[in-house]
Amino acid sequence: MNDFAVQDVDVDVIVVGAGQAGLSSAYHLARAGIPHVVLDHAPRPGGAWQFRWPSLTYGKVHGMHALPGMELTGADPLRPSSEVIAEYFAAYEDRFGLHVRRPVDVTAVRDGADRRLLVESPSGTWSARALINATGTWDRPFWPRYPGQELFRGRQLHTANYPGPVEFTGARVIVVGGGTSAVQHLLEIAEVAAQTTWVTRRPPVFRDGSFGEEQGRAAVALVEERVRQGLPPRSVVSVTGLPLNEAVRGGLESGVLDRRPMFDHLTRTGAAWSDGSRVEADVILWATGFRPAIDHLAPLRLREPGGGIRLDGTRAVRDERIHLVGYGPSASTIGANRAGGAAAREIRHLLTRTGAGVR
């Protein structure tokens, strides 16, 4: 944990968040000669990766892309991704002198004098001409509400606090969710649990064969269109389907990945469906995804009636000073890298146009 005195409170640009999106943005700002400060609320380098469960080894990571200017090489695929990527991010910060201020919990961003932004936190207040928000989603796990949730006597937890499979030894577990995390949880837990049940709102779609650049662009375009309309973004993975790799094929063949439709309600001892069927359970694991962590931007009134923030590229349509990187179409690791560069270029134009000095 790094203690620091608040200094340089008046800067050109604030970057909020030091995960893939934030570090990429800071790298491009530095290359453009734009004075900036990076604020991160995590206790140490690693972004959200540092909080991943120990059994998520680096070899299981889905689509990790190197940060700009520095490859991640020689990583042991059997080591926890939380360790591998945290060390990589720490080395990256050091190599490029990014000087991330942490822990800083940004609580609000609001208008200040002379068209500046006030970035507030318990550690102090910064003033900036522009802001890149790179806070991701990890801090906002989505817990859906179903009748009887408060009655269930077993344990309920979310992917955000998933401890790995060992704690489920001998338990009857219901995993809720149709994404990659749900599949990974099921395949691990099934090896030690007494029973697993997979429940999703929609039938899962498995993607067989290669997923090339053309397919990737098409998937990103679907997510981008929602953001352009001011709707809450869907993840890129949600429109690409689940990769049908060897482990998933094994889960389908063994029955671990036999999916049931969403239950009607929870009972004291498990779940019940409208057709009268029931499943007894000791644990409900909600692998139901995350929402963008953007509540601190609320004072700026950026949200559209549809509930999302409408973007043109990375720029908020309602306020040209605000860029969102790692939001919607740039939520993938490679998308965050490209978006960080795009945001830096647009901010340079903004600062030049408004008379702010750029080194």
Side-chain angles (χ1 to χ4, degrees), residues 8 10 17 25-26 30 50 60 63 72 97 126 232 239 241 248 269 274 290 298 305 343 349 357:
D8 300 326
D10 295 317
S25 298
Q50 65 193 275
K60 295 178 182 177
L72 199 175
W126 283 261
V239 297
V248 171
T269 59
S274 57
F290 299 79
H349 293 322

Short mmCIF file of all heavy atoms in Angstrom, two decimals, residues 8 10 17 25-26 30 50 60 63 72 97 126 232 239 241 248 269 274 290 298 305 343 349 357:
data_model
loop_
_atom_site.label_atom_id
_atom_site.label_comp_id
_atom_site.label_asym_id
_atom_site.label_seq_id
_atom_site.Cartn_x
_atom_site.Cartn_y
_atom_site.Cartn_z
N ASP A 8 0.52 18.20 -7.16
CA ASP A 8 0.10 18.36 -8.55
C ASP A 8 -1.42 18.29 -8.66
O ASP A 8 -1.97 17.57 -9.50
CB ASP A 8 0.72 17.27 -9.43
CG ASP A 8 2.24 17.29 -9.40
OD1 ASP A 8 2.79 18.39 -9.28
OD2 ASP A 8 2.86 16.22 -9.48
N ASP A 10 -3.46 20.43 -9.71
CA ASP A 10 -3.94 21.01 -10.95
C ASP A 10 -3.15 20.41 -12.10
O ASP A 10 -1.96 20.69 -12.25
CB ASP A 10 -3.78 22.53 -10.95
CG ASP A 10 -4.65 23.20 -9.90
OD1 ASP A 10 -5.81 22.81 -9.77
OD2 ASP A 10 -4.15 24.10 -9.21
N GLY A 17 -8.23 4.80 -12.64
CA GLY A 17 -8.12 3.37 -12.83
C GLY A 17 -6.79 3.00 -13.44
O GLY A 17 -6.30 3.67 -14.36
N SER A 25 -3.91 4.05 -21.44
CA SER A 25 -4.19 5.48 -21.62
C SER A 25 -3.02 6.33 -21.12
O SER A 25 -2.61 7.30 -21.78
CB SER A 25 -5.47 5.85 -20.88
OG SER A 25 -6.58 5.14 -21.39
N ALA A 26 -2.48 5.99 -19.95
CA ALA A 26 -1.36 6.75 -19.39
C ALA A 26 -0.14 6.66 -20.30
O ALA A 26 0.59 7.66 -20.48
CB ALA A 26 -1.04 6.23 -17.99
N ALA A 30 1.55 9.95 -22.00
CA ALA A 30 2.97 10.27 -21.80
C ALA A 30 3.68 10.44 -23.13
O ALA A 30 4.49 11.37 -23.31
CB ALA A 30 3.63 9.17 -20.96
N GLN A 50 -5.71 -8.70 -9.84
CA GLN A 50 -5.16 -9.07 -8.54
C GLN A 50 -6.20 -9.71 -7.63
O GLN A 50 -5.85 -10.34 -6.63
CB GLN A 50 -4.55 -7.86 -7.85
CG GLN A 50 -5.54 -6.78 -7.48
CD GLN A 50 -4.86 -5.49 -7.08
OE1 GLN A 50 -4.48 -5.32 -5.93
NE2 GLN A 50 -4.71 -4.57 -8.05
N LYS A 60 -5.23 -20.37 -18.36
CA LYS A 60 -6.68 -20.41 -18.57
C LYS A 60 -7.25 -19.04 -18.95
O LYS A 60 -8.44 -18.94 -19.25
CB LYS A 60 -7.39 -20.88 -17.29
CG LYS A 60 -7.08 -22.31 -16.88
CD LYS A 60 -7.81 -22.65 -15.59
CE LYS A 60 -7.50 -24.05 -15.11
NZ LYS A 60 -8.16 -24.34 -13.82
N GLY A 63 -7.88 -14.49 -23.67
CA GLY A 63 -7.64 -13.31 -24.49
C GLY A 63 -6.90 -12.18 -23.82
O GLY A 63 -7.22 -11.02 -24.05
N LEU A 72 4.37 -9.32 -22.56
CA LEU A 72 4.41 -10.21 -21.40
C LEU A 72 4.97 -11.54 -21.91
O LEU A 72 4.28 -12.25 -22.65
CB LEU A 72 3.02 -10.40 -20.81
CG LEU A 72 2.90 -10.92 -19.38
CD1 LEU A 72 1.44 -10.92 -18.93
CD2 LEU A 72 3.50 -12.29 -19.17
N GLY A 97 7.54 4.79 -15.99
CA GLY A 97 7.46 5.88 -15.00
C GLY A 97 6.07 6.45 -14.84
O GLY A 97 5.89 7.67 -14.77
N TRP A 126 -8.46 16.76 -6.95
CA TRP A 126 -7.65 17.19 -8.08
C TRP A 126 -8.51 18.03 -9.03
O TRP A 126 -9.73 17.87 -9.08
CB TRP A 126 -7.11 15.99 -8.84
CG TRP A 126 -5.95 15.29 -8.19
CD1 TRP A 126 -4.62 15.45 -8.50
CD2 TRP A 126 -6.00 14.33 -7.14
NE1 TRP A 126 -3.86 14.63 -7.70
CE2 TRP A 126 -4.67 13.94 -6.86
CE3 TRP A 126 -7.04 13.76 -6.40
CZ2 TRP A 126 -4.36 13.01 -5.88
CZ3 TRP A 126 -6.73 12.83 -5.42
CH2 TRP A 126 -5.40 12.47 -5.16
N PRO A 232 -27.03 0.70 -22.05
CA PRO A 232 -25.98 0.05 -21.27
C PRO A 232 -25.24 -0.96 -22.11
O PRO A 232 -25.85 -1.73 -22.86
CB PRO A 232 -26.76 -0.63 -20.13
CG PRO A 232 -28.04 0.13 -20.03
CD PRO A 232 -28.36 0.56 -21.43
N VAL A 239 -21.59 -11.43 -27.12
CA VAL A 239 -22.05 -11.53 -28.51
C VAL A 239 -21.17 -12.45 -29.35
O VAL A 239 -21.44 -12.64 -30.53
CB VAL A 239 -22.14 -10.14 -29.18
CG1 VAL A 239 -23.17 -9.28 -28.48
CG2 VAL A 239 -20.79 -9.44 -29.20
N GLY A 241 -20.26 -15.67 -28.14
CA GLY A 241 -20.51 -17.05 -27.77
C GLY A 241 -19.37 -17.64 -26.96
O GLY A 241 -18.30 -17.03 -26.81
N VAL A 248 -14.39 -27.64 -22.47
CA VAL A 248 -15.84 -27.46 -22.60
C VAL A 248 -16.47 -28.69 -23.26
O VAL A 248 -17.55 -29.15 -22.85
CB VAL A 248 -16.15 -26.18 -23.40
CG1 VAL A 248 -17.63 -26.10 -23.74
CG2 VAL A 248 -15.71 -24.94 -22.60
N THR A 269 -34.17 -24.43 0.89
CA THR A 269 -33.18 -25.49 0.68
C THR A 269 -32.71 -25.64 -0.76
O THR A 269 -31.98 -26.58 -1.06
CB THR A 269 -33.76 -26.84 1.15
OG1 THR A 269 -34.95 -27.11 0.39
CG2 THR A 269 -34.08 -26.82 2.63
N SER A 274 -41.21 -23.57 -12.28
CA SER A 274 -42.67 -23.46 -12.42
C SER A 274 -43.33 -24.77 -12.79
O SER A 274 -44.54 -24.94 -12.58
CB SER A 274 -43.01 -22.39 -13.47
OG SER A 274 -42.40 -22.71 -14.71
N PHE A 290 -21.05 -8.27 -14.43
CA PHE A 290 -20.71 -7.02 -13.77
C PHE A 290 -21.31 -5.85 -14.56
O PHE A 290 -21.68 -6.01 -15.73
CB PHE A 290 -19.19 -6.85 -13.69
CG PHE A 290 -18.49 -7.94 -12.90
CD1 PHE A 290 -18.24 -9.17 -13.46
CD2 PHE A 290 -18.10 -7.71 -11.59
CE1 PHE A 290 -17.60 -10.18 -12.74
CE2 PHE A 290 -17.46 -8.70 -10.85
CZ PHE A 290 -17.22 -9.94 -11.43
N ALA A 298 -21.71 10.49 -11.89
CA ALA A 298 -23.11 10.92 -11.85
C ALA A 298 -23.30 12.43 -11.81
O ALA A 298 -24.23 12.95 -12.46
CB ALA A 298 -23.83 10.25 -10.67
N PRO A 305 -31.35 8.59 -21.57
CA PRO A 305 -32.59 7.97 -21.07
C PRO A 305 -32.55 6.44 -21.10
O PRO A 305 -33.19 5.78 -20.29
CB PRO A 305 -33.65 8.52 -22.02
CG PRO A 305 -33.12 9.84 -22.47
CD PRO A 305 -31.64 9.65 -22.56
N ALA A 343 -8.14 8.01 -27.18
CA ALA A 343 -8.51 9.01 -26.18
C ALA A 343 -7.41 10.05 -26.03
O ALA A 343 -7.67 11.26 -25.94
CB ALA A 343 -8.81 8.34 -24.85
N HIS A 349 -6.05 17.19 -28.94
CA HIS A 349 -6.74 18.17 -29.77
C HIS A 349 -7.56 19.13 -28.91
O HIS A 349 -7.58 20.34 -29.14
CB HIS A 349 -7.64 17.47 -30.78
CG HIS A 349 -6.91 16.69 -31.82
ND1 HIS A 349 -5.72 17.11 -32.38
CD2 HIS A 349 -7.19 15.48 -32.39
CE1 HIS A 349 -5.30 16.21 -33.26
NE2 HIS A 349 -6.17 15.21 -33.28
N GLY A 357 -1.57 24.20 -22.36
CA GLY A 357 -0.22 23.86 -22.83
C GLY A 357 -0.01 22.36 -22.85
O GLY A 357 -0.38 21.66 -21.94
#
